Each structure stands twice: as structure tokens, then as C-alpha cells.
């Protein structure tokens, strides 16, 4: 009934071609500038890629939200952790003097740090919020040394694109991109609210990534690996989260 | 009844043709012309964006409910967790055993895909809204069909229309062409108040977005206030949806749906010529 005119057909054809080649080009540029997250495959890939790309363009360098001391939560909620294994109990009995943080991968000088080594580096503190993916949150003061300093100390190589970090808990590992890894608020945290970081909150060593949800702030960190190829780790999705169905990028 | 100006122009041309040539046989109107005369109630753009909105809205609603189950407690201010006093608690079991709910069991955790789908649908909705919003301004759709006519900017006009609903009077002629006052008000509220607030309160919960725009959370009273408002707003939208679909059912589900799908009014006037006079 409504015959489509030839001109309309040609216009539609041109628009479709332009749209398709625009998408291909956008994809190429996004990959080149590191705007594609490791879990960009599959049905939810487009949404994740849009979120991550926008956040990288908008917030690569913005500071985390900070709060006045008066807003520190009186009763922070530690959330559940798995019961500690033998190895952890042994280290805890020794006052964590033998806790080691191994830094390796694409760094010039792979190094193993004790907590005392880390405490001799510049110490920063921040009053930031932990927001859990479930919806709850609390504010605390976090004290430690920026991850960026440790990476510079070990001579992180320019080809590094992600920093992978592991918990003493087997099977728990995360990664962040270099924008977050070198961000001044990304903190190897050893203290909380003027005391040592309590074990339920990730003590003796937790990597705080305050511009992402709580699950990126991994507890009990023992190893950090810089890499230029995130596909080599686990199932190649960037962290253990996508293997459980959760997004790799948790800045939302 | 055309919504689009293109159609009215065509119609005026036809009228002129009829007038200048008294011998022009009115009955010779072809089938195509008739369908064009009774023409468009909803433009293609409104129809496509409307149904995309429905798909993404339903996805957001379902996944939003799924996410809430992991922590069915709400707070006011910046922070809130199981160690602080809730503003209110939903009387439902949770999908986490760390939340005290009074129920002896824990629901399965579906947050992973729910969150992925929630944000993906939010993107679809935002792009749809951008297209709809820009086109609505440029084409004059908002001005013509959503903003109430000047003479209707009185409480009286509202009461008059409500009274007509209560008396179950059929829509009058002007409503064949466009929305009535109450429809306009409801649609304007949804399009320009509820959806923008929904997006704002959603972004206020993003730790990365608020690192760039701290005011997005601070102006609302904090992250937990944003979450609570986001929850209430979704109820308001759900309320709109229920009333919206009820009204469509009452005013003739078949013809309204046909119009929103094909664009054309379901029931053409007996004599299209007369309708315009
Ligand atoms: C089963 C679900 C739905 C059905 C059957 C439905 C049906 C319709 C119909 C038939 C119209 C045209 C009304 C008329 O011509 O008088 C309409 C308009 C509209 N609907 Fe829906 N709708 C649904 C869901 C939604 C949802 C979820 C929203 C948004 C939250 C929504 C927002 C609107 C708006 C804003 C308009 C006016 C559009 C414009 O002209 O710009 N609808 N709907």
C-alpha cells in the first residue's frame, strides 16, 4: 500500500552502510584507546562497553568522593569472609610479620615486600565510602601506601595494561586498568580509623579501589601481577567476577 | 486528525483542490488517500521509541526488583548497612544471609545478570529517550501534543475532564486528534520529571560517576537517599504503567493498540471531509 520510493530505498541503504561502518570504526578506536573492558563479549557486552568507555572518558582522573571525619561510620559492616585457612592462621599468629606482597609480571624489578617495607613507603590516608553491590555502604578512614608508588618502585613497564591482584584465599583475584592502578586514591591499605586494618575488613593488607564497588577492594592481598595481556588470566574475562556473572568494571 | 504537519499540509492541498474545482468528485478518493486522510495518530518515531521504552522499562523493573532482594532495607543519608537503623525494611526474604529478615531461608543470588541487564537496559532507555526528546522538540510534538493547550491551564479544565471520565463520556472530537488534558499531564510528568529523576538517582549510586560529579549524590542527601528515592520513583512509574494500561483498556484496547502499532487511528470517521470542517 505504501510503496517505498527508490529515493527512500537509496537513502536507507546509505544510512545503513554509514551506520555499520561507523560502528566498526568506533569499535576500532575504542580498542585502540583502551575503552573496551575484558568482559565485552556476549549479550551484555554492548552495555558494559558503553559504561566502561564513558567512565574512562569522563572519570579517568577524577578524585574519589571524600567525607569529613564526622561522617566516619560508628559501626561499619565488615561483610562475611570465608573462615581463615591454616596458612592465614599461621601468619596471624606471627603478627603478620611474615606476610609478603609479591609484585611481578611486566615490571623491571620483581620484588617481595613485607608489611614493614610497605609502611616505609609514603603513607596516605583517605576518608572514603565502601559501597557494596548489594546496596549497603559505610565510610571509614583508610591508611596505607598508594599502589602507584609500589608499581613505580618495581619499575612497571610501559606495555603494562592491567594490574592483576590475588587474595590469599585461593581462587579470589581481581584486576584493574592502569587508570585505576595509577590513581592516587588506589591504596594498599594497612590501617583503618587510626588502628591496624582489622582482619574482618581485609587486614593485614587490602587494596582499596574507592571509585568502584566494594568487591574490587580485595581483602588479604598477597600478590600483584602487572600484565599487557589480561586474556592470559583465568577465563580471560579480567577477574573472577564475570566467571560468577558479575561485571569486571564495578564503577558502574 | 493528523499529528504530523506533513499530513495536514497534504490535507489542506486536497481541500483546496476540492474547493477550486467544484466538479471534483469526492467519491473518487482512492484507498491510499483515505488511509492518509484518516492518517497518523502517532508518528513512527513515537511508536518505535514507545515500544523500546516498554521493553527496557520492563527489564529495568524486573532486574531492579531482583537487585533489591539482596538488601531489602532502605536508609536515608550517605551510609546505611545492617549495623545501622533502616528507614524501612521490606517484609520479604533476602538473597544474602547477612541481612536479618526474619525469614529462615535465603533466596538464590541473581544479582550478577540482573545488574548487567539493568545497566544495559538503562542504556537502551537513555538512547531511546535522547531520540524521542530531540525529535519531540524539533518536530513540535511536545508543543502540539504534550503541553496542555493554553486555555486548559486551569484547575477547572482538569475537573471538567475528570468529571467526563467519571461520567464515562466518550472522548470528544479534539481527542481524536491528540491527547486530552489528563493524558498530557501524565505523559509530561513521566517524560520530563520521573524519568530524569530516575536517571539522576541511578547515577548518584555510581561510585565512579559521583567521583566526577559529587553533587549528584550530595544534593539528594547522599548515596542511600538516592537509593531510597530511586526505589520510590520506580513505584511511581509502576503506578503510571498500571493506570496507563487500565485507561487504554477502558478506552478501547484494540483501537488504541492498533494506533500505537500501525500509527493509524483504529476507527476512521464516517466522512473524513466533514471531520475536518
Ligand atoms: C503494556 C504496556 C503499555 C501499553 C499497552 C502502552 C500503550 C500506549 C498507547 C496505546 C499509547 C497511546 C495512547 C493514546 O493514543 O491515547 C501510549 C502512549 C504513551 N505511553 Fe504507553 N504503553 C505501555 C507502557 C508504557 C510505559 C512502560 C511507559 C513509560 C514508562 C509508557 C509511556 C507512554 C507515553 C509517554 C505515551 C505518550 C507518547 C507520546 O505521544 O509522546 N507507556 N501508550
Amino acid at each position: 500500500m505504501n510503496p517505498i520510493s527508490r529515493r527512500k530505498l537509496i537513502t536507507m541503504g546509505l544510512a545503513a552502510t554509514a551506520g555499520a561502518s561507523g560502528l566498526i570504526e568506533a569499535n576500532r578506536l575504542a580498542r585502540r584507546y583502551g575503552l573496551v573492558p575484558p568482559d565485552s563479549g556476549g549479550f551484555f557486552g554492548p552495555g558494559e562497553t558503553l559504561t566502561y568507555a564513558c567512565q574512562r572518558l569522563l572519570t579517568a582522573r577524577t578524585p574519589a568522593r571524600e567525607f569529613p571525619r564526622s561522617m566516619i561510620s560508628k559501626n561499619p559492616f565488615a561483610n562475611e569472609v570465608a573462615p581463615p585457612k591454616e596458612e592465614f592462621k599461621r601468619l596471624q599468629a606471627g603478627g603478620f610479620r611474615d606476610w609478603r606482597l609479591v609484585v611481578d609480571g611486566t615490571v623491571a624489578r620483581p620484588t617481595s615486600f613485607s608489611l614493614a617495607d610497605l609502611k616505609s613507603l609514603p603513607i596516605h590516608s583517605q576518608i572514603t565510602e565502601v559501597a557494596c553491590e548489594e546496596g549497603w555502604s559505610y565510610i571509614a578512614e583508610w591508611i596505607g601506601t598508594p599502589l602507584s608508588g609500589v608499581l613505580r618502585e618495581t619499575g612497571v613497564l610501559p606495555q603494562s595494561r592491567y594490574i592483576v591482584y590475588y587474595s590469599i584465599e585461593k581462587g579470589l583475584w581481581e584486576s584493574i586498568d592502569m587508570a585505576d592502578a595509577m590513581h592516587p586514591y588506589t591504596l594498599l591499605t594497612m590501617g583503618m580509623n587510626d588502628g591496624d586494618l582489622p582482619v574482618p575488613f581485609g587486614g593485614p593488607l587490602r587494596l582499596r579501589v574507592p571509585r568502584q564497588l566494594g568487591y574490587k577492594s580485595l581483602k588479604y592481598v598477597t600478590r600483584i601481577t602487572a600484565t599487557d595481556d589480561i586474556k592470559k588470566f583465568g577465563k580471560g574475562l579480567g577477574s573472577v567476577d564475570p566467571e560468577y556473572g558479575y561485571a569486571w568494571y564495578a564503577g558502574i | 486528525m493528523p499529528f504530523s504537519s506533513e499530513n495536514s499540509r497534504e490535507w489542506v492541498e486536497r481541500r483546496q483542490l476540492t474547493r477550486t474545482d467544484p466538479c471534483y468528485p469526492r467519491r473518487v478518493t482512492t484507498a491510499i488517500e483515505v488511509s492518509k486522510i484518516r492518517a497518523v495518530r502517532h508518528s513512527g518515531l513515537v511508536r518505535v521509541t514507545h515500544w523500546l521504552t516498554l521493553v527496557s522499562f520492563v527489564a529495568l523493573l524486573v532486574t531492579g526488583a531482583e537487585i533489591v532482594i539482596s538488601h531489602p532495607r532502605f536508609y536515608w543519608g550517605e551510609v546505611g548497612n545492617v549495623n545501622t537503623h533502616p528507614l524501612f525494611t521490606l517484609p520479604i526474604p533476602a538473597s544474602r544471609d547477612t541481612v536479618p529478615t526474619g525469614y529462615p531461608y535465603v533466596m538464590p543470588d541473581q544479582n550478577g545478570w540482573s545488574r548487567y541487564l539493568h545497566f544495559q537496559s538503562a542504556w537502551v532507555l537513555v538512547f531511546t529517550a535522547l531520540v524521542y526528546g530531540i525529535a519531540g522538540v524539533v518536530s513540535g510534538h511536545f508543543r502540539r501534543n504534550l503541553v496542555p493547550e493554553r486555555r486548559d491551564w486551569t484547575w477547572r479544565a482538569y475537573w471538567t475532564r475528570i468529571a467526563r471520565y467519571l461520567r464515562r463520556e466518550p472522548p470528544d472530537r479534539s481527542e481524536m486528534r491528540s491527547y486530552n488534558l489528563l493524558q498530557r499531564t501524565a505523559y509530561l510528568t513521566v517524560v520530563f520529571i520521573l524519568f530524569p529523576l530516575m536517571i539522576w538517582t541511578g547515577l548518584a549510586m555510581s561510585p565512579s560517576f559521583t567521583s566526577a560529579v559529587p553533587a549528584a549524590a550530595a544534593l539528594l542527601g547522599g548515596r542511600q537517599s538516592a537509593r531510597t528515592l530511586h526505589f520510590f520513583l520506580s513505584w511511581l512509574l509502576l503506578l503510571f504503567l498500571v493506570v496507563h494500561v487500565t485507561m487504554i483498556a477502558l478506552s478501547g484496547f484494540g483501537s488504541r493498540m492498533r494506533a500505537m502499532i500501525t500509527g493509524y487511528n483504529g476507527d476512521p470517521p464516517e466522512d473524513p471531509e466533514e471531520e475536518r470542517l
Side-chain angles (χ1 to χ4, degrees), chain B:
Chain B
M1 46 251 65
F3 265 34
S4 80
S5 50
E6 220 173 288
N7 270 298
S8 17
R9 207 177 311 125
E10 181 181 307
W11 201 90
V12 169
E13 274 162 19
R14 254 188 58 77
R15 293 285 315 166
Q16 280 164 351
L17 188 60
T18 333
R19 281 221 191 90
T20 49
D21 179 4
C23 299
Y24 184 82
R26 275 172 74 163
R27 262 163 287 109
V28 182
T29 327
T30 64
I32 289 176
E33 278 170 319
V34 168
S35 77
K36 275 190 178 164
I37 292 165
R38 67 175 158 105
V40 190
R41 179 175 172 91
H42 307 293
S43 72
L45 210 115
V46 165
R47 275 141 49 209
V48 170
T49 52
H50 180 267
W51 296 120
L52 278 175
T53 305
L54 173 64
V55 171
S56 45
F57 180 73
V58 168
L60 282 160
L61 207 60
V62 171
T63 54
E66 196 53 65
I67 296 167
V68 153
I69 292 175
S70 66
H71 196 83
R73 291 159 59 97
F74 288 86
Y75 313 89
W76 197 256
E78 184 60 49
V79 297
N81 55 64
V82 292
N83 292 340
T84 61
H85 256 295
L87 189 65
F88 61 94
T89 303
L90 303 181
I92 56 169
S95 62
R96 297 289 190 279
D97 57 8
T98 47
V99 189
T101 60
Y103 289 87
Y105 54 90
V106 173
M107 310 258 281
D109 170 21
Q110 304 288 330
N111 266 20
W113 68 266
S114 294
R115 297 179 64 86
Y116 268 129
L117 184 54
H118 199 75
F119 303 137
Q120 178 136 306
S121 313
W123 275 114
V124 173
L125 193 77
V126 163
F127 281 122
T128 308
L130 273 180
V131 172
Y132 171 81
I134 293 171
V137 170
V138 171
S139 71
H141 170 64
F142 293 153
R143 202 167 10 86
R144 256 180 294 120
N145 301 314
L146 288 197
V147 177
E149 287 167 51
R150 200 67 224 210
R151 64 181 148 81
D152 282 347
W153 291 18
T154 62
W155 293 117
R156 232 191 118 79
Y158 279 92
W159 281 121
T160 314
R161 192 60 191 86
I162 291 171
R164 287 191 43 208
Y165 267 123
L166 294 178
R167 287 197 299 270
R168 310 223 35 197
E169 283 177 25
D172 67 19
R173 285 242 159 132
S174 71
E175 294 180 19
M176 291 299 287
R177 256 178 288 129
S178 187
Y179 302 127
N180 70 45
L181 179 58
L182 298 180
Q183 278 180 298
R184 286 171 190 239
T185 311
Y187 297 154
L188 275 183
T189 310
V190 165
V191 169
F192 291 102
I193 299 177
L194 296 186
F195 268 116
L197 282 177
M198 206 68 195
I199 293 168
W200 176 10
T201 52
L203 284 175
M205 286 185 275
S206 154
S208 191
F209 180 80
T210 52
S211 78
V213 192
L219 284 178
L220 297 170
R223 179 192 171 78
Q224 294 298 335
S225 305
R227 179 170 178 261
T228 302
L229 290 170
H230 199 71
F231 177 74
F232 284 140
L233 285 165
S234 59
W235 277 104
L236 286 180
L237 281 172
L238 184 61
L239 179 71
F240 164 78
L241 180 62
V242 170
V243 174
H244 185 54
V245 177
T246 309
M247 294 309 285
I248 283 155
L250 288 178
S251 65
F253 195 74
S255 67
R256 285 293 145 106
M257 287 300 271
R258 203 175 322 139
M260 206 34 150
I261 293 166
T262 65
Y264 295 104
N265 254 330
D267 4 79
E270 310 260 291
D271 181 353
E273 299 285 327
E274 195 186 308
E275 168 73 11
R276 289 305 291 187
L277 297 176

Side-chain angles (χ1 to χ4, degrees), chain A residues 125-181:
Chain A
S125 89
Q126 47 169 282
I127 300 175
T128 55
E129 185 169 8
V130 174
C132 178
E133 141 279 328
E134 295 160 14
W136 51 270
S137 62
Y138 66 88
I139 294 173
E141 178 173 28
W142 308 92
I143 304 136
T145 190
L147 174 64
S148 59
V150 170
L151 290 174
R152 282 200 202 92
E153 192 83 2
T154 49
V156 65
L157 298 173
Q159 69 265 33
S160 310
R161 295 204 43 215
Y162 296 92
I163 301 298
V164 181
Y165 45 111
Y166 298 87
S167 165
I168 196 168
E169 190 70 38
K170 290 279 164 300
L172 281 188
W173 62 284
E174 285 289 346
S175 77
I176 45 179
D177 61 14
M178 294 313 283
D180 266 325

